[in-house]
């Protein structure tokens, strides 16, 4: 991680994402620019949070662990995303692991500043509410589908969701079979068997470690009109 206080770069990101609308007085807030290289760990599940992270560049991968030691993919994040909002509000340790998948930059605000000043700022709280409600909506939708739908339905729903131009579709989109399996709550082995089945039926065309959708209408029928959002 590299920490910078370069006003020009910070101001450029603030202007790009109109961050002045997020604070009543942005000039009074000590802002840092934190830069992480590809594959560098940003937040570790279970650690104490040191502040709020505003992602302004790059791509991150958010996962959570389970008792068996395996990790569950939650989403990929892009600018503009906020990390630390749940932990700040609930006063709990970091809930998920966040890793950089490319060179990634954050505007960072230390925890003391957030707790002493920003939690009394209506603009800041309104922005946190917006991001928290989005996370709740998408997580609730994904959990409901993964609990109630069959694996075949979930896979169809996943493919149709990622095909559409919405934020959550982009956040769960992957070409990696194990990652797709993680998102829809199944195993890579089960998903590979399903891909083979759909390939035989002509819905997909299987290519070694990848596949191509041939019949979107059939996937729509299998999905029963549901989507991950």
């Amino acid at each position: 991680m590299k920490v910078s206080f370069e006003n020009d770069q910070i101001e450029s990101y603030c202007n790009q994402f109109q961050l002045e609308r997020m604070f009543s007085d942005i000039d009074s807030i000590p802002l840092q620019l934190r830069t992480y290289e590809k594959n560098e760990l940003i937040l570790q599940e279970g650690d104490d949070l040191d502040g709020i992270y505003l992602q302004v560049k790059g791509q991150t991968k958010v996962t959570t662990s389970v008792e068996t030691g395996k990790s569950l993919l939650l989403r990929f994040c892009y600018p503009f995303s906020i990390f630390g909002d749940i932990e700040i509000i609930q006063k709990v340790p970091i809930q998920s692991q966040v890793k950089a998948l490319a060179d990634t930059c954050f505007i960072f605000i230390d925890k003391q500043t957030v707790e002493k000043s920003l939690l009394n700022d209506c603009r800041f709280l309104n922005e946190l509410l917006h991001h928290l409600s989005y996370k709740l909506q998408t997580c609730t939708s994904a959990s409901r589908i993964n609990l109630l739908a069959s694996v075949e339905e979930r896979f169809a729903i996943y493919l149709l969701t990622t095909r559409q131009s919405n934020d959550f579709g982009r956040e769960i989109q992957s070409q990696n079979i194990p990652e797709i399996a993680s998102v829809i709550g199944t195993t890579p082995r089960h998903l590979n068997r399903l891909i083979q089945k759909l390939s035989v039926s002509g819905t997909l065309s299987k290519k070694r470690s990848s596949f191509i959708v041939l019949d979107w209408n059939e996937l729509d029928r299998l999905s029963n009109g549901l989507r991950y959002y």
Side-chain angles (χ1 to χ4, degrees):
M1 175 187 70
K2 295 180 180 178
V3 178
S4 170
F5 297 91
E6 295 181 15
N7 289 331
D8 290 345
Q9 186 64 69
I10 292 174
E11 184 177 353
S12 175
Y13 283 125
C14 287
N15 291 335
Q16 181 180 349
F17 295 100
Q18 299 181 315
L19 294 187
E20 72 280 354
R21 298 194 304 180
M22 186 175 171
F23 309 99
S24 295
D25 183 11
I26 193 171
D27 293 332
S28 67
I29 303 169
L31 302 177
Q32 295 180 21
L33 182 65
R34 293 192 171 187
T35 302
Y36 296 80
E37 296 180 350
K38 181 179 179 180
N39 294 324
E40 191 172 357
L41 192 62
I42 300 159
L43 296 174
Q44 176 64 56
E45 188 175 5
D47 286 354
D48 291 330
L49 182 74
D50 57 350
I52 287 285
Y53 292 72
L54 311 178
Q55 185 177 340
V56 292
K57 177 186 175 183
Q59 180 186 10
T60 51
K61 179 179 180 179
V62 185
T63 60
T64 187
S65 62
V66 293
E67 293 182 0
T68 60
K70 295 181 179 180
S71 64
L72 175 68
L73 173 64
L74 297 179
R75 68 184 73 208
F76 299 101
C77 289
Y78 305 85
F80 178 72
S81 299
I82 296 179
F83 297 96
D85 43 4
I86 294 173
E87 291 83 357
I88 284 287
I89 297 296
Q90 293 297 322
K91 300 185 184 301
V92 293
I94 295 169
Q95 298 295 292
S96 305
Q97 178 173 290
V98 181
K99 180 180 181 181
L101 296 184
D103 290 347
T104 303
C105 295
F106 296 86
I107 298 294
F108 173 81
I109 307 170
D110 67 272
K111 185 177 180 180
Q112 184 176 12
T113 298
V114 174
E115 293 181 336
K116 287 191 173 182
S117 302
L118 295 182
L119 290 186
N120 296 313
D121 186 337
C122 291
R123 290 190 184 182
F124 178 75
L125 291 176
N126 186 62
E127 189 69 18
L128 287 195
L129 177 62
H130 171 72
H131 285 265
L132 284 168
S133 60
Y134 170 75
K135 290 176 183 177
L136 175 61
Q137 175 194 355
T138 52
C139 286
T140 300
S141 170
S143 297
R144 181 176 65 249
I145 290 172
N146 286 352
L147 283 171
L148 300 178
S150 69
V151 175
E152 187 174 55
E153 290 171 326
R154 299 198 304 259
F155 185 43
I157 293 165
Y158 172 86
L159 292 174
L160 288 160
T161 301
T162 56
R163 187 190 189 197
Q164 297 177 344
S165 57
N166 62 71
D167 289 340
F168 193 53
R170 184 182 181 215
E171 290 173 9
I172 61 174
Q173 187 171 26
S174 174
Q175 297 180 345
N176 182 285
I177 295 297
E179 288 180 344
I180 297 174
S182 180
V183 169
I184 67 174
T186 190
T187 63
R189 179 177 295 180
H190 194 166
L191 181 54
N192 275 316
R193 287 199 299 265
L194 177 56
I195 291 172
Q196 182 62 37
K197 174 186 173 183
L198 293 173
S199 179
V200 170
S201 71
T203 306
L204 306 178
S205 173
K206 195 173 186 306
K207 308 270 189 184
R208 290 190 179 180
S209 59
S210 64
F211 59 87
I212 298 173
V213 176
L214 300 177
D215 191 344
W216 288 103
N217 289 330
E218 175 61 13
L219 290 178
D220 191 40
R221 186 190 68 79
L222 291 173
S223 74
N224 292 312
L226 297 174
R227 301 291 184 271
Y228 279 112
Y229 53 77

